[in-house]
Amino acid sequence: MSSEMVDSGFVSSEEQIIALLGEIQDWQINHGSLLKNVKSQSEHSVYSYPVGVSVYPSPFPQSEFRRAMEIQLIYNELYTAIASNEDWLYHVTKEMVSSHPLANALWVIHRQTKAAGAAQEISAAIFRSDYMLHMSNNPSSSNDCIEPTLKQVEFNTFSCAGASHSKRVADMHRYMTRTGAYDLETATGQHNPNALSLPSNDNIDSLASFLASAHAAYGSPKNDTAKRTALLYIVQPYNFNIADERPIEYALWNRDPPVPTYRLNWGDDILQHTSLTDTQELLFHPPGLPVRDPMEISVVYMRAGYEGHEYDDIGQQARLRLEMSSAIKCPSILSHIATFKKVQQALIAPGELERFLTPEKAAVIRKTFVMQYPLDKTTEGLFARQIVHDGDCSNYILKPSLEGGGNNIYDRIPEFLESTPTAAWPSYIMMERIQPPKSRNVLMGPSGVEEGPVVSELGIYGACLWKQTNQQSEMLHNSYAGWSFKTKHAHIDEMSVVKGYGCFDTPCLQ
């Protein structure tokens, strides 16, 4: 235990911090706030390790937290409209197809599905919009502000993870608050967190309830060989993040009546254990279960299939079978394509938001944007290329259209692009750096326990169900579905918790 941490002001003695860390460890073990070590297990045992967490809740303005919740419904409306406009979506992403394997695979699968005829008009999606607070240091900037304001980091439409972990950590901080474990007021003069300042988080139940609604929207089995319908989770093999995925599955089974929910690994398992009927129902033949009759899949919930290497021949066949089926997809393949950073960047241009939203709603959304540039041959793209040529990219981040964290380029943008074929540049965007305010906290993660300056990121979940006809969408369900909150040391660029960059946290609303 370092003396720096003991003398930081959060605690007055090493004995106190050791007791506090012990309480957190016990909570994590008892509540499944863990990651599975898939490389160290046998038939009779499995090893796991705690997910990274903050020891204390981190401050966040209540007004911006509430605003993020309120505008999620507008963001849901925006992205369902985008996913319903194939022409616009292709126009925005077409330059990626030749150099981006995932974009190419998704568009090929979509065209094959479209040629076969749409088997399902209803789509489902679980979104997550991520924000940081921004404080401008440039008096002439359009983002200039006295108080920190909400700025969007990215919008996620596929495999939006972290909900269960966020719920567990929020419950942990609320429990620690009730027991009187925190004494920030005495130690530092800060206000102690209380039940009112730490928001509850019901995202597990919210997401399960939404998936149950999608399941109900599908209705009863259409095929005579199926006696019941079920929801199918598509997951990655050797899955270390089961403590984030499984709680939603368990919540679906615990409903009254339960929603039957099963898992299949991405790839060959899909081809082996599912089949398409002549009328495109997706039948599931459960491996290892004493079930004679197949089940008809109502909803396919994707938690795998977001990385380019997953789309070998088998991966493409598996995704094509899912897409061609009459099951409701969460998300649809066009919704998946909408997660690319190129889409987020394209919405910056004047008039683009108004294609999908009323001017009033577009104005609300635009306030959350920071400047973003393409790296193509448009006027904006040539401007960005000139910034790269000049060599001063310290105020920008280079983002590829990849998911999972750890992919962004920061201070070495010119060197990176110099080593990248020019034809691949349009797959990247250059985004203005958000300048978040710093606070102090103690973070407890894979690298140990360390106190210091930190910055936080708020994620808001949204859930929506819509019916699409002729590139128009009719919203059937639109809801806010909880939040995630992540904190990292201020000197670290990336935020992914499961990759060890940050920690799950709870906002202490002020």
Side-chain angles (χ1 to χ4, degrees):
M1 190 67 61
S2 70
S3 59
E4 178 187 2
M5 183 172 64
V6 173
D7 296 335
S8 67
F10 281 109
V11 292
S12 57
S13 71
E14 184 169 338
E15 182 180 1
Q16 285 182 331
I17 190 65
I18 289 174
L20 190 56
L21 297 182
E23 288 283 338
I24 291 174
Q25 290 169 341
D26 287 353
W27 172 275
Q28 291 188 287
I29 291 171
N30 278 278
H31 294 83
S33 188
L34 306 165
L35 297 172
K36 184 178 181 180
N37 188 339
V38 295
K39 296 180 180 180
S40 301
Q41 63 184 77
S42 67
E43 292 181 6
H44 304 292
S45 64
V46 62
Y47 295 92
S48 60
Y49 53 98
V51 71
V53 297
S54 67
V55 173
Y56 302 93
S58 294
F60 199 86
Q62 180 170 303
S63 59
E64 297 303 279
F65 182 83
R66 301 299 178 196
R67 186 160 76 94
M69 291 171 55
E70 291 167 1
I71 64 177
Q72 186 59 40
L73 299 185
I74 304 177
Y75 263 116
N76 290 350
E77 181 182 343
L78 170 63
Y79 273 83
T80 57
I82 289 172
S84 300
N85 193 324
E86 178 187 345
D87 293 342
W88 185 87
L89 198 52
Y90 182 72
H91 173 74
V92 167
T93 62
K94 64 182 178 181
E95 287 193 81
M96 297 174 57
V97 173
S98 61
S99 62
H100 195 285
L102 180 57
N104 180 68
L106 295 180
W107 276 113
V108 166
I109 293 168
H110 171 68
R111 291 193 186 100
Q112 291 174 315
T113 304
K114 186 177 179 181
Q120 179 57 259
E121 293 182 336
I122 297 176
S123 295
I126 293 171
F127 297 142
R128 195 189 70 230
S129 186
D130 293 337
Y131 306 93
M132 298 182 84
L133 296 173
H134 176 75
M135 298 189 72
S136 173
N137 294 319
N138 180 4
S140 63
S141 169
S142 61
N143 292 326
D144 187 38
C145 56
I146 299 174
E147 297 294 331
T149 56
L150 208 62
K151 296 297 177 182
Q152 188 180 67
V153 177
E154 63 182 3
F155 193 89
N156 306 275
T157 71
F158 192 93
S159 188
C160 299
S164 299
H165 288 311
S166 299
K167 160 72 173 171
R168 301 290 185 237
V169 174
D171 289 347
M172 180 194 79
H173 282 136
R174 288 165 67 85
Y175 164 77
M176 302 290 281
T177 297
R178 291 189 180 99
T179 65
Y182 300 137
D183 190 16
L184 300 183
E185 196 158 8
T186 299
T188 67
Q190 300 180 42
H191 291 298
N192 281 326
N194 55 55
L196 295 178
S197 63
L198 301 184
S200 60
N201 200 357
D202 62 352
N203 48 21
I204 295 176
D205 288 340
S206 294
L207 294 178
S209 178
F210 166 69
L211 290 171
S213 297
H215 172 76
Y218 182 87
S220 57
K222 280 70 174 173
N223 190 273
D224 293 339
T225 63
K227 298 296 187 289
R228 60 174 178 163
T229 55
L231 186 147
L232 188 63
Y233 240 105
I234 304 298
V235 300
Q236 291 182 321
Y238 309 106
N239 199 313
F240 63 88
N241 204 22
I242 60 165
D244 190 58
E245 294 177 359
R246 289 280 195 179
I248 299 171
E249 177 185 347
Y250 300 151
L252 285 162
W253 276 107
N254 285 334
R255 294 179 67 85
D256 187 17
V259 176
T261 304
Y262 298 91
R263 296 162 69 86
L264 272 184
N265 287 337
W266 172 265
D268 194 51
D269 280 8
I270 296 172
L271 299 178
Q272 287 189 34
H273 301 295
T274 69
S275 61
L276 276 181
T277 69
D278 292 341
T279 48
Q280 295 178 281
E281 290 87 18
L282 183 66
L283 300 185
F284 172 55
H285 312 270
L289 292 179
V291 179
R292 293 184 180 180
D293 298 318
M295 283 172 273
E296 188 172 321
I297 296 304
S298 59
V299 180
V300 175
Y301 177 34
M302 304 289 292
R303 293 292 292 260
Y306 54 83
E307 297 181 299
H309 71 82
E310 293 176 292
Y311 287 86
D312 56 12
D313 288 343
I314 291 176
Q316 290 200 44
Q317 290 178 46
R319 184 70 185 271
L320 180 61
R321 178 175 295 179
L322 299 176
E323 291 298 322
M324 290 184 69
S325 77
S326 61
I328 295 172
K329 271 70 72 177
C330 183
S332 68
I333 204 159
L334 290 180
S335 297
H336 185 175
I337 293 170
T339 206
F340 289 156
K341 303 299 184 291
K342 284 288 294 182
V343 172
Q344 186 181 354
Q345 176 268 313
L347 292 171
I348 294 287
E352 291 302 318
L353 281 176
E354 286 77 6
R355 289 176 180 267
F356 309 105
L357 299 171
T358 66
E360 294 76 18
K361 290 179 178 178
V364 171
I365 293 298
R366 190 168 281 112
K367 288 180 181 178
T368 68
F369 290 169
V370 294
M371 196 59 209
Q372 300 174 54
Y373 299 96
L375 284 170
D376 54 23
K377 295 182 180 180
T378 62
T379 302
E380 295 79 10
L382 293 175
F383 178 80
R385 291 183 182 215
Q386 186 62 48
I387 294 174
V388 173
H389 181 267
D390 293 343
D392 183 12
C393 299
S394 58
N395 195 40
Y396 297 93
I397 301 168
L398 188 69
K399 290 188 170 187
S401 286
L402 298 173
E403 301 302 320
N407 301 304
N408 296 334
I409 308 299
Y410 291 83
D411 297 324
R412 54 187 184 89
I413 294 175
E415 295 84 353
F416 176 83
L417 287 175
E418 187 175 346
S419 65
T420 302
T422 307
W425 285 23
S427 295
Y428 293 82
I429 67 164
M430 263 184 40
M431 181 177 181
E432 178 187 353
R433 273 184 182 258
I434 297 172
Q435 305 294 338
K438 299 179 180 66
S439 58
R440 296 189 74 83
N441 208 329
V442 181
L443 303 186
M444 182 176 172
S447 61
V449 181
E450 184 180 352
E451 183 269 347
V454 299
V455 295
S456 299
E457 179 179 295
L458 173 67
I460 301 293
Y461 293 93
C464 43
L465 194 68
W466 70 99
K467 185 175 182 179
Q468 180 179 339
T469 53
N470 300 323
Q471 298 205 34
Q472 297 293 323
S473 59
E474 175 191 354
M475 190 73 79
L476 306 177
H477 174 103
N478 184 7
S479 67
Y480 154 80
W483 52 266
S484 70
F485 194 68
K486 298 177 237 183
T487 294
K488 64 180 180 180
H489 292 294
H491 66 276
I492 294 175
D493 288 325
E494 296 287 354
M495 183 61 90
S496 173
V497 177
V498 296
K499 292 187 177 180
Y501 298 113
C503 293
F504 285 104
D505 194 355
T506 306
C508 184
L509 301 182
Q510 300 177 340

